């Protein structure tokens, strides 16, 4: 052992002291022995100097070895105490060992020789123990520092926020490093003052106390922080109590148990940005190894600061980019404008959001490759576009086009496109860039406008033609009626002529009536007043009736009319609107006669799945292909106005078409010029299994004699109409009385109980027929009132029924119908 061992020895017996001294001196200077002869001397010496070991006798005057042991352990627990005892006191020695003595030696000549070895062994053991303890402490310290490094590194990875980084760094120093306090101060670049930013641990107001006024420049460079800023290096103070650097803050620091301090500069852009202070409550805490590791921590924080700044700059750039992209997108979406880019080297295509919308593609996917862009346009538009693209990529001349697009779902649209070249630094064309706008709506509006204009012009032309026709169509029969009626008054007119003229008048009147019917019907259709009225009917009977109605014409024109009813009668009971079906057929047959000079006409029907398909076939003039759809439109006629051979208003087919559609079917024509036409139409086949057929007597069989006892009141303001009615009923032997208006009719019904039936005109002065009927019905609810009027629309009929009329007869009044209705309501 090189080092001498300082021993303080207490023993009141001079002989024993000599014995011990001798035994140690034999070791030639290995020991320095200080002797105390009393308690007093011992206490003085022990406090005065540090000793490596205390040697004590057991029995000392007024004092004993155990008390010495207690005192030493209290003041300097690491100082070993060895007992020198007399013989026979082993038990006491064992007790001393229990209380912490390191060993004992018996003071006899034979035993004392062991003393030097015992002391050396005790000192050796103490050193081993102290070294072990130190090693353990160092390990513990290192573990704490490594935990700090690891935690801070994890923190750096997960945070992008400077303040959080600083705050949590301080927390880690306390929680994982076990330090007393840690704080980070930021350095003001010009004043170099450190402003506390965050801290953790036992601070207790220290940071406010140590803050230096900005004006106190004398102190700025003082203290570990100030020095660290100046040196741009770490500063360690391992003894706060003694180190002059802590002068201004020493007292406050010691008060809070700070014994060692390290100030670590945190750098940003190569300048000191802040200081990381760590305070330990251990003296000499920051040795070389710890310092090295903590510098590493500070460097890591500096690095993190740089990357946070870079990340924030990146995020900001990203968000700026996103923002500007969004704004562009918004602007593009408002204007329905998109943009695109084509890389000529790679054929790579980029679209903005709006372009995806225009083509109907999902903007989350890449746009289709350039090779497939052909599909996005009609062939004509693609031809134009691809030629323009080729030209621009060669010459750099930009283009602007309106193209017809084909969207992903197959629908079509319109697009305005502008394309221009993109140049590199050497002015080579490397790509094409362009804008595109969806102009489908505009194009559609243009198209609609054009169509509407065409329609308006056409409709105007048709109306003029119609007025022209109609005027002609009305004037022709009127001319005949007026002209020939005049002749009838001539007394010398031979009976054959009279018959001929009357026939012309009747025919012309029917012609006039038919044209008026057409006009009223088309007006009703257009006003949406025509309703579907379903009833049970016999199909075959209707066809036969039509055959008989057209028989006369067939004979006159020498064109046979054939009918073909394919269903047996019991299969031909159906439900439909019979009146309209009859009208459609009648229209088509009458057209067939009108446009056929020779040959034949055939009418029939057949069952086609769920529909009855009717046809009217003629061998007439035929219809050119180009007109075969148009003739179903109002006023449309194949013949132009001036050179017309055939009359007509051009309304019949459009009425028929409207009726067919009302019945739930379709109408069409096949035709060949000069060969003939076949008109087809369908109606749903709604078969009726059993049908009660009302018994209708033929007019010829009608009993015309109502008997003298029946009284009929005719309410009619027009004399001619009254005269006509009277004439029509001249053979009926019925009492006829007249009321000139509604009010008179009411009064007469009230006064004359013998009235059996009223024929009520609707449009009359003073009181109209509706009101008159209502009043009559109030006091004679059973009296039948039949409305007779020139108003023939559906709603007129409904109004009459609502007023209380039991039936309805329209003008011009047919004799058969009049008589049949009167008969029906008179009850005989
Ligand atoms: P209108 O017969 O009063 O002129 P329509 O609407 O019934 O009116 O017919 C329209 C046009 O269709 C006729 O003017 C005629 O040019 C053509 N048309 C109709 N039926 C026939 C037919 N059977 N044969 C030849 N042309 C026809």
């Amino acid at each position: 052992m090189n080092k001498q061992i300082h021993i303080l020895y207490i023993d009141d017996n001079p002989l024993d002291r000599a014995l011990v001294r001798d035994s140690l001196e034999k070791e030639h200077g290995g020991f320095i022995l200080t002797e105390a002869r009393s308690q007093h001397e011992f206490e003085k010496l022990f406090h005065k100097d540090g000793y490596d070991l205390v040697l004590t006798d057991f029995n000392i005057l007024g004092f004993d070895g155990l008390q010495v042991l207690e005192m030493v352990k209290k003041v300097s627990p690491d100082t070993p105490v060895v007992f020198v005892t007399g013989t026979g006191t082993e038990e006491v020695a064992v007790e001393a060992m229990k209380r912490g003595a390191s060993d004992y030696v018996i003071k006899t000549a034979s035993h004392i020789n062991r003393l030097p070895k015992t002391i050396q062994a005790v000192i050796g053991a103490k050193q081993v123990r102290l070294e072990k303890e130190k090693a353990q402490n160092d390990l513990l310290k290192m573990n704490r520092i490594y935990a700090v490094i690891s935690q801070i590194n994890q923190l750096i990875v997960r945070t992008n926020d400077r303040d959080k980084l600083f705050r949590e760094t301080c927390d880690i120093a306390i929680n994982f490093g076990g330090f007393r306090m840690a704080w980070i101060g930021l350095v003001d670049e010009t004043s170099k003052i450190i402003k506390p930013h965050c801290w953790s641990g036992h601070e207790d107001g220290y940071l406010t106390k140590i803050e230096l006024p900005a004006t106190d420049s004398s102190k700025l460079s003082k203290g570990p922080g100030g020095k660290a800023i100046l040196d741009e290096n770490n500063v360690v103070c391992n003894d706060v109590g003694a180190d002059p650097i802590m002068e201004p803050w020493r007292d406050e620091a010691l008060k809070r148990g700070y014994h060692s301090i390290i100030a670590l500069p945190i750098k940003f852009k190569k300048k000191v940005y802040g200081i990381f202070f760590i305070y330990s409550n251990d003296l000499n805490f920051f040795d070389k190894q710890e310092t090295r590791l903590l510098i590493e921590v500070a460097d890591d924080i500096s690095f993190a600061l740089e990357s946070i700044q870079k990340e924030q700059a990146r995020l900001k750039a990203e968000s700026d980019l996103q923002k500007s992209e969004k704004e562009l997108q918004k602007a593009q979406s408002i204007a329905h404008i998109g943009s695109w880019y084509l890389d000529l080297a790679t054929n790579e295509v980029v679209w903005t959001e709006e372009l995806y919308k225009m083509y109907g593609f999902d903007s989350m996917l890449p746009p289709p490759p350039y090779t497939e862009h052909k599909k996005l346009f009609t062939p004509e538009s693609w031809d134009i576009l691809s030629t323009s693209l080729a030209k621009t990529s060669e010459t750099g001349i930009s283009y602007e086009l309106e193209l017809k697009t084909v969207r992903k779902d197959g629908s079509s649209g319109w697009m305005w496109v502008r394309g221009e070249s993109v140049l590199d630094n050497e002015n080579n064309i490397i790509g094409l860039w362009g804008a595109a706008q969806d102009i489908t709506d505009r194009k559609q509006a243009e198209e609609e406008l054009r169509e509407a204009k065409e329609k308006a012009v056409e409709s105007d032309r048709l109306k003029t033609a119609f007025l022209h026709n109609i005027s002609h169509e009305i004037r022709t029969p009127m001319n005949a009626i007026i002209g020939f009626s005049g002749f009838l008054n001539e007394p010398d007119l031979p009976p054959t002529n009279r018959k001929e003229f009357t026939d012309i008048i009747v025919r012309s009147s029917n012609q006039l009536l038919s044209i008026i019917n057409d006009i009223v019907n088309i007006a009703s259709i257009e006003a949406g007043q025509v309703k579907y009225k379903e009833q049970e009917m016999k199909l075959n009977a209707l066809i036969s009736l039509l055959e008989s109605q057209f028989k006369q014409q067939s004979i006159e024109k020498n064109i046979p009319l054939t009918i073909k009813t394919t269903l047996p009668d019991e299969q031909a009971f159906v439900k439909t609107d019979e009146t309209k079906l009859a009208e459609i057929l009648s229209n088509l047959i009458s057209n067939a006669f009108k446009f056929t000079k020779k040959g034949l006409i055939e009418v029939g029907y057949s069952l086609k799945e769920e529909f009855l398909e009717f046809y009217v076939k003629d061998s007439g003039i035929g219809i050119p292909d180009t007109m075969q759809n148009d003739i179903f439109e109002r006023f449309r006629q194949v013949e132009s106005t001036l050179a017309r051979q055939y009359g007509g208003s051009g309304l019949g087919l459009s009425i028929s078409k409207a009726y067919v559609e009302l019945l739930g079917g379709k109408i069409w024509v096949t035709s060949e010029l000069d060969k003939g036409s076949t008109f087809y139409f369908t109606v749903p086949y709604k078969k009726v299994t059993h049908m009660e057929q009302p018994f209708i007597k033929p007019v010829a069989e009608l009993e015309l004699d109502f008997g003298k006892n029946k009284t009929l009141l005719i309410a009619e303001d027009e004399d001619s109409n009254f005269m006509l009615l009277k004439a029509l009923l001249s053979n009926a032997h019925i009492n006829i009385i007249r009321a000139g208006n509604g009010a008179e009719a009411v009064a007469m019904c009230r006064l004359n109980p013998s009235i059996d039936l009223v024929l009520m005109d609707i449009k009359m002065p003073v009181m109209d027929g509706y009101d008159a009927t209502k009043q009559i019905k109030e006091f004679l609810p059973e009296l039948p009132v039949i409305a007779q009027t020139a108003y023939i629309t559906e709603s007129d009929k409904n109004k009459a029924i609502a007023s209380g009329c039991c039936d309805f007869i329209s003008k011009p009044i047919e004799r058969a119908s009049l008589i049949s209705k009167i008969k029906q309501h008179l009850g005989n």
Side-chain angles (χ1 to χ4, degrees):
M1 183 181 296
N2 306 326
K3 211 179 145 224
Q4 286 183 317
I5 301 168
H6 283 244
I7 300 166
L8 176 60
Y9 173 38
I10 174 166
D11 200 333
D12 56 352
N13 186 332
L15 287 177
D16 287 351
R17 287 207 303 273
L19 190 68
V20 166
R21 196 180 313 126
D22 283 351
S23 77
L24 294 178
E25 273 172 6
K26 279 184 198 157
E27 293 297 314
H28 306 294
F31 302 99
I32 302 169
L33 190 67
T34 307
E35 292 174 24
R37 286 163 299 182
S38 64
Q39 179 185 1
H40 176 68
E41 270 184 21
F42 175 79
E43 282 173 357
K44 241 170 92 187
L45 287 166
F46 183 66
H47 283 298
K48 203 170 155 202
D49 230 330
Y51 295 91
D52 295 320
L53 184 138
V54 170
L55 196 61
T56 180
D57 183 24
F58 200 78
N59 288 318
I60 308 152
L61 198 66
F63 200 38
D64 73 26
L66 289 178
Q67 281 174 301
V68 170
L69 176 65
E70 197 179 324
M71 226 181 101
V72 172
K73 289 291 156 204
K74 209 170 173 186
V75 176
S76 172
D78 285 336
T79 307
V81 176
V82 172
F83 277 75
V84 275
T85 64
T87 46
T89 53
E90 272 92 347
E91 276 174 28
V92 181
V94 170
E95 178 59 30
M97 297 286 281
K98 273 190 199 159
R99 294 201 196 177
S102 297
D103 211 339
Y104 69 93
V105 175
I106 297 167
K107 279 189 290 184
T108 59
S110 56
H111 286 93
I112 202 74
N113 293 340
R114 272 186 55 222
L115 185 61
K117 288 256 175 310
T118 306
I119 289 174
Q120 277 163 353
V122 167
I123 290 295
K126 175 193 161 189
Q127 251 156 13
V128 168
R129 184 173 47 79
L130 285 180
E131 270 163 29
K132 202 172 143 197
E133 265 176 29
K134 187 175 177 308
Q136 271 174 352
N137 273 344
D138 285 352
L139 189 68
L140 220 66
K141 255 165 85 178
M142 288 321 274
N143 278 346
R144 280 157 50 187
I145 304 281
Y146 277 122
V148 168
I149 293 179
S150 149
Q151 289 298 319
I152 289 180
N153 283 337
Q154 287 179 35
L155 169 67
I156 287 170
V157 172
R158 69 170 185 267
T159 189
N160 272 328
D161 176 346
R162 182 201 71 170
D163 292 352
K164 191 173 172 212
L165 173 75
F166 286 171
R167 216 172 42 242
E168 291 191 12
T169 293
C170 294
D171 290 345
I172 289 170
I174 302 308
N175 298 333
F176 291 86
F179 292 106
R180 184 96 175 130
M181 203 267 277
W183 64 285
I184 289 175
L186 300 184
V187 177
D188 183 283
E189 239 188 89
T190 40
S191 69
K192 300 290 178 204
I193 286 178
I194 308 169
K195 283 246 171 234
H197 178 72
C198 55
W199 63 86
S200 191
H202 182 76
E203 189 263 347
D204 194 23
Y206 179 72
L207 295 177
T208 36
K209 290 239 164 69
I210 59 135
E211 218 175 296
L212 295 171
T215 46
D216 190 355
S217 56
S218 64
K219 284 182 182 171
L220 275 184
S221 57
K222 289 188 181 162
K227 194 164 165 12
I229 298 171
L230 274 190
D231 298 354
E232 298 193 356
N233 208 345
N234 62 296
V235 172
V236 172
C237 160
N238 264 328
D239 186 352
V240 170
D243 199 328
I245 202 167
M246 282 301 290
E247 205 268 307
W249 304 282
R250 187 182 337 274
D251 291 348
E252 292 296 333
L254 289 175
K255 256 194 230 168
R256 291 165 177 81
Y258 309 153
H259 289 285
S260 306
I261 298 176
I262 190 164
L264 300 151
I266 297 169
K267 292 183 183 168
F268 180 58
K269 294 189 176 160
K270 300 200 173 130
K271 280 189 188 151
V272 178
Y273 179 79
I275 305 286
F276 181 22
F277 293 90
I278 306 174
Y279 296 6
S280 166
N281 40 14
D282 294 330
L283 266 177
N284 300 315
F285 186 86
F286 302 104
D287 65 14
K288 260 195 189 147
Q289 214 172 348
E290 273 94 52
T291 307
R292 187 179 56 76
L293 290 172
L294 288 170
I295 290 171
E296 228 173 81
V297 170
D299 286 349
D300 287 350
I301 296 171
S302 302
F303 170 76
L305 217 53
E306 303 264 354
S307 47
I308 286 175
Q309 198 264 344
K310 275 188 201 144
E311 178 64 7
Q312 276 170 352
R314 193 187 64 76
L315 286 175
K316 186 172 179 313
E318 202 174 89
S319 111
D320 286 354
L321 185 70
Q322 265 174 13
K323 210 171 127 201
S324 68
E325 265 178 6
K326 255 200 192 127
E327 270 161 17
L328 176 71
Q329 224 173 62
K330 206 165 131 196
Q332 291 199 341
S333 130
I334 289 169
H336 290 296
I337 291 181
S339 51
W340 54 269
Y341 177 75
L342 169 66
D343 186 319
L344 288 174
T346 60
N347 264 359
E348 210 178 301
V349 181
V350 181
W351 284 356
T352 63
E353 178 90 20
E354 202 55 27
L355 223 73
Y356 280 94
K357 272 193 217 159
M358 284 181 217
Y359 289 118
F361 280 83
D362 181 355
S363 62
M364 299 306 283
L365 301 172
Y370 180 64
T371 46
E372 285 178 25
H373 282 211
K374 193 177 177 176
K375 289 187 208 153
L376 305 176
F377 299 90
T378 58
E380 304 77 45
S381 285
W382 177 249
D383 274 353
I384 300 169
L385 179 61
S386 52
T387 318
S388 306
L389 284 169
K391 200 170 146 202
T392 306
S393 19
E394 219 169 88
T395 62
I397 299 168
S398 53
Y399 63 83
E400 259 187 55
L401 304 166
E402 286 191 354
L403 301 167
K404 202 158 185 195
T405 54
V406 179
R407 298 192 193 98
K408 195 173 174 225
D409 63 2
S411 62
S412 58
W414 278 94
M415 185 187 270
W416 166 88
V417 210
R418 182 183 164 81
E420 43 194 64
S421 55
V422 177
L423 307 176
D424 65 4
N425 292 339
E426 280 136 35
N427 281 346
N428 299 313
I429 300 175
I430 51 161
L432 299 178
W433 177 91
Q437 186 175 24
D438 190 335
I439 52 164
T440 313
D441 291 349
R442 195 197 85 199
K443 278 279 180 185
Q444 245 163 25
E446 271 175 21
E447 181 66 12
E448 277 163 19
L449 208 65
R450 199 181 51 75
E451 274 173 17
K453 194 181 157 213
E454 268 173 19
K455 262 201 183 134
V457 170
E458 172 72 352
S459 151
D460 198 44
R461 190 184 67 73
L462 288 173
K463 272 184 193 148
T464 315
F466 170 72
L467 283 177
H468 204 92
N469 287 357
I470 219 73
S471 150
H472 174 262
E473 292 300 310
I474 292 175
R475 275 166 202 283
T476 313
M478 282 302 278
N479 191 35
I481 296 167
I482 293 166
F484 288 108
S485 308
F487 282 124
L488 291 184
N489 273 339
E490 305 241 334
D492 332 324
L493 190 70
T496 46
N497 282 8
R498 189 181 298 273
K499 165 91 177 71
E500 193 187 336
F501 292 173
T502 316
D503 282 350
I504 292 173
I505 290 171
V506 169
R507 252 204 329 272
S508 300
S509 303
N510 283 337
Q511 202 181 328
L512 196 59
L513 187 62
S514 136
I515 207 149
I516 289 166
N517 269 341
D518 276 358
I519 294 171
V520 173
N521 283 342
I522 202 85
S524 303
I525 288 167
E526 285 188 356
Q529 285 201 343
V530 178
K531 300 273 165 338
Y532 173 72
K533 260 209 226 143
E534 193 171 77
Q535 66 215 87
E536 294 178 355
M537 60 149 313
K538 289 179 168 179
L539 211 51
N540 293 347
L542 175 71
I543 304 278
S544 307
L545 184 69
L546 286 164
E547 184 191 19
S548 62
Q549 276 176 3
F550 284 95
K551 196 164 207 131
Q552 190 62 30
Q553 253 192 81
S554 159
I555 296 165
E556 278 169 15
K557 291 193 84 171
N558 194 22
I559 300 170
L561 171 65
T562 328
I563 62 164
K564 290 224 165 116
T565 50
T566 46
L567 289 179
D569 283 355
E570 62 280 8
Q571 301 280 331
F573 294 167
V574 295
K575 257 192 195 171
T576 188
D577 187 330
E578 184 178 11
T579 322
K580 295 194 178 74
L581 178 61
E583 183 119 354
I584 300 161
L585 282 165
S586 166
N587 265 341
L588 297 179
I589 299 169
S590 104
N591 274 349
F593 276 110
K594 185 154 91 182
F595 296 105
T596 306
K597 287 208 175 83
K598 59 178 186 334
L600 52 90
I601 292 169
E602 189 180 306
V603 182
Y605 68 87
S606 62
L607 187 58
K608 295 249 168 107
E609 289 169 9
E610 308 285 281
F611 287 87
L612 289 166
E613 186 180 282
F614 294 85
Y615 67 92
V616 177
K617 185 175 173 191
D618 65 51
S619 55
I621 60 169
I623 302 160
D625 285 354
T626 49
M627 289 298 288
Q628 284 176 13
N629 280 329
D630 293 356
I631 48 168
F632 293 100
E633 281 172 31
R634 285 176 308 156
F635 313 135
R636 283 287 192 158
Q637 293 176 312
V638 174
E639 288 182 304
S640 64
T641 316
L642 288 173
R644 274 155 47 91
Q645 288 184 49
Y646 307 94
S649 58
L651 292 176
L653 285 180
S654 66
I655 293 170
S656 302
K657 182 170 186 267
Y659 283 179
V660 169
E661 283 164 6
L662 198 68
L663 300 190
K666 283 187 304 185
I667 186 164
W668 68 99
V669 67
T670 58
S671 179
E672 211 178 316
L673 272 181
D674 298 328
K675 294 238 163 90
S677 315
T678 311
F679 282 83
Y680 296 92
F681 68 93
T682 56
V683 291
Y685 177 51
K686 298 184 201 162
K687 196 178 151 222
V688 179
T689 35
H690 177 71
M691 187 171 152
E692 285 287 330
Q693 179 66 358
F695 178 77
I696 302 168
K697 269 192 188 174
V699 177
E701 289 171 29
L702 279 175
E703 179 68 69
L704 291 184
D705 196 347
F706 296 122
K708 276 275 179 221
N709 54 343
K710 297 287 180 194
T711 302
L712 173 66
L713 170 67
I714 297 179
E716 175 62 74
D717 57 326
E718 289 277 346
D719 288 344
S720 61
N721 286 343
F722 175 70
M723 295 302 287
L724 178 64
L725 281 170
K726 219 175 151 188
L728 290 172
L729 294 170
S730 58
N731 292 337
H733 306 298
I734 189 168
N735 240 350
I736 294 177
I737 55 175
R738 179 183 176 191
N741 60 49
E744 264 182 45
V746 177
M748 286 171 79
C749 285
R750 218 186 273 281
L751 296 173
N752 189 345
S754 62
I755 295 173
D756 297 294
L757 190 133
V758 183
L759 269 185
M760 180 73 80
D761 185 25
I762 294 299
K763 190 182 156 296
M764 284 185 293
V766 188
M767 183 188 285
D768 69 18
Y770 298 133
D771 285 342
T773 309
K774 267 187 219 153
Q775 291 195 12
I776 294 168
K777 282 285 166 176
E778 273 172 24
F779 56 88
L780 288 173
E782 300 301 324
L783 182 67
V785 179
I786 299 176
Q788 43 114 4
T789 176
Y791 297 151
I792 52 168
T793 64
E794 207 94 340
S795 69
D796 293 331
K797 287 183 191 169
N798 292 341
K799 214 165 156 191
I801 302 295
S803 312
C805 296
C806 58
D807 210 337
F808 194 96
I809 185 161
S810 54
K811 289 176 183 173
I813 292 166
E814 270 181 296
R815 186 155 181 257
S817 160
L818 175 70
I819 291 171
S820 137
K821 289 202 171 181
I822 292 175
K823 195 150 188 69
Q824 187 187 337
H825 294 291
L826 277 182
N828 56 2

